[in-house]
Amino acid sequence: MPTPALRAAAWTRLGVWAAALATSVAASTIAWRLVLLTVAVAMGGCAVLPSQVERPHSFARSDVADTQLARIAAASTPEDERELSGFRLLPDGAEAFAARIALIRRAEKTIDAQYYVIASDRTGHEFLRELKAAAARGVRVRILVDDLYATGEDALFAGLAAHDNVEVRMFNPLPVRGGSFGQRILLSLHQFSRINHRMHNKLFIADGSFAVTGGRNIADEYFDRGGDANFIDMDLLSTGPVVGKLAAVFDRFWNADIVYPVRSLVGGEPSRQAFEQQVGERPAEATEASEPDAESVEAGLASGRLAFERAEAEVFADAPQKASGDTGEATVAEAHLELLGSAASSVLLASPYFVPGKREMQALSAIRSRDVSVSVLTNSLATTDEPLVHYGYARHRAALLDAGVDLNELRPSAEDSAEAARSIGRSGAGNSLGRLHTKLSVVDDEKTFVGSMNMDGRSAHLNTEAGMVIHSRTLAAFVARFLRGHEKERSYQVRLEGDGLRWSSGVGADRQTRSVEPATASAPALPVRLLAQLLGEGLL
């Protein structure tokens, strides 16, 4: 399962959603709305963000050509393909984290990190320790974190920012700094319309030469360290011209007014000691050189050359102002729908939180009307970490199936055979539950979308997102195998038969079909179903 903090937060969100529902329903009763607002303001003590905040602007460094990473990037690029970008998929969790650490250790001038979550767990602490060590070598480190899940981490981030060469900024912070996740939300309800917008982006850039993007946050369960439950995800290592475009996205967020330096949010003088006490020292074994896998990113960096698929690509990113309700610019969700609409033969889509709104349903129906195959991979009720979102998706299943969309819902990996586990890779597999978290699309076996965006109302309208579309048949073939492998080996195929839905899994004589939706014993029932029916899909 997710880390204890994230697990508790997931359940607390039910209360938050219920409060949001009460606020929404109260539209018909002005007096009740005033009561709710009065209670929230009174409990929050009219908490507000600081009004006088210094945000010194800074930008990606351009003096990086003499760095080791720049030289490796150049050596990895054929002379006649320098106008193309290089891409390398990172489906394996352990390798994806090791790649980040290898890049941090080789960085000489600048590191930028932008994440929705940097958890205070083993992975988060290791990541932050390595960034602190890089700063101690003179590397400029800029860290941008969404504030929603930073509960209790002010001392951690402020302590890190107290070190030389490190700056930490929080995106769209909550005015209440103390208490649990739920308490911070409830005591900030007087600003609910603002704090309901979050930064969902994930981006890591080292010396302006290599970037890692995709769906993974920095927490144990994203890198196969989560014990009995891990996320199935996909990152993308990039080099070449696309890195400069990603750096421009980071700079735009870093310098936005909705971002606050962590020092402006905490009282007193930040303590380096508080950071050291929380994250500890780098373990001795982490400093010992070990022999990396011959095909790993670490091995390629050590040899001075990495293998990449070269291709053209477009970068799409929501404006940070989207979190302030400014919808004046085109969104990643709109670009993604345009990509899907360009399909001539096939669409493969993976979204862990799949709640198609009116526009999405129209787009998918239009695609199917041209006899383009559409296959969707999402979580089942048995694997989702967001049951409320699942019920939002469930009410669209019949319409999607009627339109001819193939629906595949991930099964718990405990049901896998050893052969099936080997055929689809290690991310989120093994003895863990395995939950889908990757956000991928493949169109016509030629164009691949990789990013942070789910196909739901929250990603479309509330959160900021980012993604890339890569034009490469080789890359598309790899991603298609990854998705089709999970659809075939690790999913329930959902069908409309007779009077209702059926869930089928297995092949040949082992194929089984059930008429009752697969779920875990702990799956929440009636109250969550009712709440899902009452909530607007934009809040899920």
Side-chain angles (χ1 to χ4, degrees):
M1 289 187 175
T3 58
L6 290 183
R7 186 163 57 243
W11 285 102
T12 304
R13 274 198 298 278
L14 295 178
V16 174
W17 278 319
L21 172 64
T23 304
S24 176
V25 171
S28 61
T29 309
I30 296 176
W32 178 235
R33 177 181 287 240
L34 290 174
V35 169
L36 283 173
L37 183 60
T38 300
V39 170
V41 170
M43 294 177 67
C46 300
V48 294
L49 294 173
S51 58
Q52 300 297 323
V53 176
E54 292 186 8
R55 301 178 182 85
H57 282 202
S58 62
F59 299 90
R61 293 183 61 167
S62 58
D63 59 335
V64 295
D66 60 342
T67 64
Q68 177 185 188
L69 290 179
R71 290 192 294 271
I72 294 172
S76 304
T77 305
E79 194 65 40
D80 60 345
E81 294 184 338
R82 295 199 176 276
E83 76 284 0
L84 301 176
S85 295
F87 301 100
R88 182 184 178 116
L89 291 165
L90 301 172
D92 180 77
E95 165 67 358
F97 187 67
R100 287 168 169 85
I101 299 303
L103 290 169
I104 292 173
R105 292 182 176 180
R106 284 172 173 79
E108 298 172 51
K109 292 191 175 180
T110 177
I111 296 173
D112 293 331
Q114 177 183 11
Y115 284 99
Y116 179 52
V117 175
I118 298 180
S120 184
D121 61 10
R122 171 191 168 193
T123 297
H125 290 174
E126 184 176 348
F127 184 71
L128 295 177
R129 279 198 304 267
E130 293 290 346
L131 290 176
K132 186 205 76 170
R137 300 193 308 267
V139 177
R140 183 192 69 174
V141 176
R142 299 188 295 176
I143 304 170
L144 177 56
V145 186
D146 185 87
D147 189 60
L148 183 64
Y149 286 112
T151 300
E153 295 183 10
D154 278 356
L156 175 71
F157 288 122
L160 177 57
H163 291 78
D164 293 340
N165 302 318
V166 181
E167 188 172 359
V168 180
R169 297 186 179 184
M170 313 303 290
F171 185 90
N172 199 20
L174 278 64
V176 175
R177 307 309 302 169
S180 67
F181 177 91
Q183 289 170 336
R184 290 184 70 210
I185 294 288
L186 291 172
L187 297 181
S188 300
L189 275 181
H190 58 294
Q191 296 188 13
F192 182 79
S193 61
R194 176 180 66 81
I195 66 172
N196 193 34
H197 293 264
R198 308 313 320 168
M199 180 190 77
H200 199 233
N201 308 44
K202 291 93 176 173
L203 175 60
F204 174 87
I205 305 174
D207 275 347
S209 302
F210 294 97
V212 180
T213 56
R216 289 185 175 101
N217 293 298
I218 304 297
D220 286 346
E221 58 268 29
Y222 296 93
F223 300 100
D224 294 332
R225 295 173 162 188
D228 58 359
N230 288 292
F231 285 119
I232 299 165
D233 219 322
M234 179 81 78
D235 280 329
L236 184 71
L237 177 66
S238 305
T239 190
V242 76
V243 178
K245 298 176 183 178
L246 293 169
V249 172
F250 181 92
D251 285 345
R252 189 176 185 190
F253 274 80
W254 182 256
N255 296 311
D257 290 342
I258 202 168
V259 167
Y260 287 68
V262 68
R263 292 189 183 194
S264 70
L265 300 171
V266 300
E269 187 64 25
S271 169
R272 295 185 182 186
Q273 288 70 31
F275 174 81
E276 309 292 351
Q277 290 170 3
Q278 196 162 346
V279 305
E281 295 296 328
R282 181 191 292 179
E285 61 268 21
T287 65
E288 296 175 0
S290 57
E291 192 66 32
D293 184 281
E295 297 182 356
S296 69
V297 172
E298 164 63 25
L301 291 172
S303 71
R305 187 184 300 269
L306 280 163
F308 287 99
E309 175 65 21
R310 314 298 301 189
E312 294 181 348
E314 294 91 41
V315 172
F316 298 98
D318 290 330
Q321 290 75 23
K322 182 184 177 185
S324 302
D326 183 353
T327 57
E329 296 187 29
T331 66
V332 176
E334 291 167 343
H336 184 245
L337 281 182
E338 185 175 344
L339 170 70
L340 301 186
S342 71
S345 59
S346 64
V347 169
L348 284 172
L349 181 96
S351 180
Y353 314 118
F354 180 64
V355 188
K358 183 177 180 180
R359 289 185 62 186
E360 289 76 17
M361 289 295 294
Q362 290 175 340
L364 293 174
S365 295
I367 295 167
R368 284 295 301 129
S369 70
R370 303 197 311 270
D371 202 29
V372 174
S373 66
V374 178
S375 185
V376 174
L377 175 64
T378 191
N379 279 307
S380 65
L381 184 57
T383 58
T384 186
D385 62 325
E386 296 281 10
L388 193 59
V389 176
H390 177 84
Y391 289 129
Y393 145 74
R395 56 185 177 231
H396 294 288
R397 280 188 295 216
L400 287 163
L401 292 168
D402 274 336
V405 174
D406 292 333
L407 292 182
N408 304 275
E409 298 179 2
L410 193 72
R411 293 185 294 113
S413 53
E415 300 181 14
D416 289 348
S417 66
E419 181 179 351
R422 283 193 299 270
S423 71
I424 57 178
R426 291 170 287 173
S427 179
N431 294 321
S432 72
L433 173 64
R435 288 177 164 134
L436 187 71
H437 193 262
T438 192
K439 305 94 164 58
L440 295 167
S441 299
V442 180
V443 172
D444 294 341
D445 293 319
E446 180 182 3
K447 293 172 283 189
T448 303
F449 173 89
V450 182
S452 65
M453 187 205 76
N454 297 300
M455 200 165 179
D456 63 3
R458 176 161 289 277
S459 283
H461 306 296
L462 297 175
N463 293 344
T464 67
E465 307 286 356
M468 275 194 286
V469 175
I470 305 155
H471 301 261
S472 164
R473 288 193 172 275
T474 301
L475 202 74
F478 183 98
V479 175
R481 285 196 302 271
F482 177 83
L483 296 181
R484 289 187 175 117
H486 280 85
E487 289 179 351
K488 179 181 178 181
E489 304 287 354
R490 283 198 53 190
S491 295
Y492 303 109
Q493 287 78 51
V494 187
R495 300 286 184 268
L496 270 175
E497 293 182 9
D499 60 347
L501 298 177
R502 300 291 186 270
W503 287 262
S504 299
S505 61
V507 294
D510 295 328
R511 189 163 182 80
Q512 298 180 345
T513 299
R514 62 192 84 187
S515 59
V516 177
E517 180 163 14
T520 61
S522 60
L526 187 59
V528 179
R529 289 178 184 266
L530 290 175
L531 187 56
Q533 292 296 319
L534 293 171
L535 274 174
E537 290 183 352
L539 286 172
L540 296 180

